[in-house]
Amino acid sequence: MRRATVDELYIRAKGGDKAARDRLFDLLLVSFRVIVRHRMWGDRSAEDVAQDALMAVVGEYDRILIKSSFTAWAYQVLNNKIVDHFRLKRIRAEKMEFLGQQRAEAEVYGPNPMLKIRIKKCFSMINRVHKQHARILNLHFQGYSTDDICRRMKITRNACYTSLSRARAMLRECLSQKEQGS
């Protein structure tokens, strides 16, 4: 007796056959694991990528209309998850390298004594222009949570985020002007 293909199981599962659905996802997981182990040789995240791909397929398979091949679509989901994994891995490695370089530079050059003075002057300027922005930024830098800041200032989270964003932009602008003027 011939075994049902993945596409045949998909059609039966889409029609409400729970046993076909379970068999479909069991087959996909086994297949995904083989492919991921082959493409991500030695990467400890391989199982996670296979599981993530399967969860993406499970979450979408009954909502989309596949006219050609469910198998091709499912393997494309898996391929996208693998590509995303490698992209994130590369981004993390680049960030770690950048942070390592910054740390090394900071150790070589030491702290910038003028930076603290410039930040204080910029805070004073922000306080003159908009006291609420300065206070929210100050509370944030002191380590208060958004909820704590909202309670203290009697504002909504949205207002807090807006003020914080504007205050950061003002601080960034002030510091960049000072750098250009130095």
Side-chain angles (χ1 to χ4, degrees):
M1 186 163 151
R2 182 178 79 78
R3 284 186 178 195
T5 66
V6 169
D7 285 320
E8 292 168 345
L9 288 171
Y10 164 72
I11 291 168
R12 290 184 6 216
K14 194 92 161 154
D17 184 344
K18 184 171 174 10
R21 179 183 181 274
D22 293 344
R23 180 76 180 129
L24 170 67
F25 294 128
D26 287 343
L27 283 174
L28 279 179
L29 182 58
V30 168
S31 181
F32 282 5
R33 283 178 175 151
V34 169
I35 292 168
V36 167
R37 284 185 189 131
H38 175 72
R39 295 213 20 221
M40 298 174 62
W41 187 260
D43 192 326
R44 288 184 274 168
S45 306
E47 179 65 23
D48 292 338
V49 172
Q51 294 276 340
D52 287 347
L54 183 66
M55 292 309 296
V57 169
V58 168
E60 293 292 321
Y61 94 101
D62 58 346
R63 286 187 255 177
I64 63 171
L65 178 62
I66 298 174
K67 294 181 180 179
S68 57
S69 170
F70 172 79
T71 305
W73 173 79
Y75 288 119
Q76 186 59 48
V77 170
L78 174 63
N79 187 57
N80 292 344
K81 291 291 182 181
I82 293 170
V83 169
D84 288 347
H85 170 76
F86 285 123
R87 183 179 302 125
L88 286 172
K89 194 173 181 178
R90 187 194 79 240
I91 289 169
R92 280 188 206 111
E94 288 171 357
K95 282 183 181 179
M96 293 304 290
E97 182 180 339
F98 176 73
L99 291 173
Q101 288 172 352
Q102 279 190 325
R103 185 177 188 152
E105 288 175 10
E107 289 173 0
V108 169
Y109 297 113
N112 181 349
M114 296 303 294
L115 182 60
K116 190 173 184 178
I117 295 168
R118 287 181 23 221
I119 289 174
K120 283 183 178 181
K121 286 181 181 178
C122 288
F123 259 99
S124 294
M125 183 276 303
I126 295 169
N127 191 43
R128 281 192 306 274
V129 173
H130 203 291
K131 288 188 186 306
Q132 180 174 327
H133 291 348
R135 184 151 185 238
I136 290 171
L137 186 60
N138 190 26
L139 289 170
H140 177 72
F141 282 138
Q142 289 178 26
Y144 286 91
S145 71
T146 302
D147 292 331
D148 291 338
I149 294 170
C150 290
R151 273 193 298 280
R152 282 175 162 253
M153 301 291 295
K154 296 178 176 64
I155 59 174
T156 65
R157 288 177 71 85
N158 192 34
C160 181
Y161 290 133
T162 301
S163 289
L164 193 55
S165 175
R166 290 177 182 167
R168 286 177 178 151
M170 292 169 78
L171 181 61
R172 197 171 22 255
E173 178 67 25
C174 178
L175 289 171
S176 70
Q177 286 176 357
K178 296 285 185 182
E179 286 176 4
Q180 293 170 358
S182 297

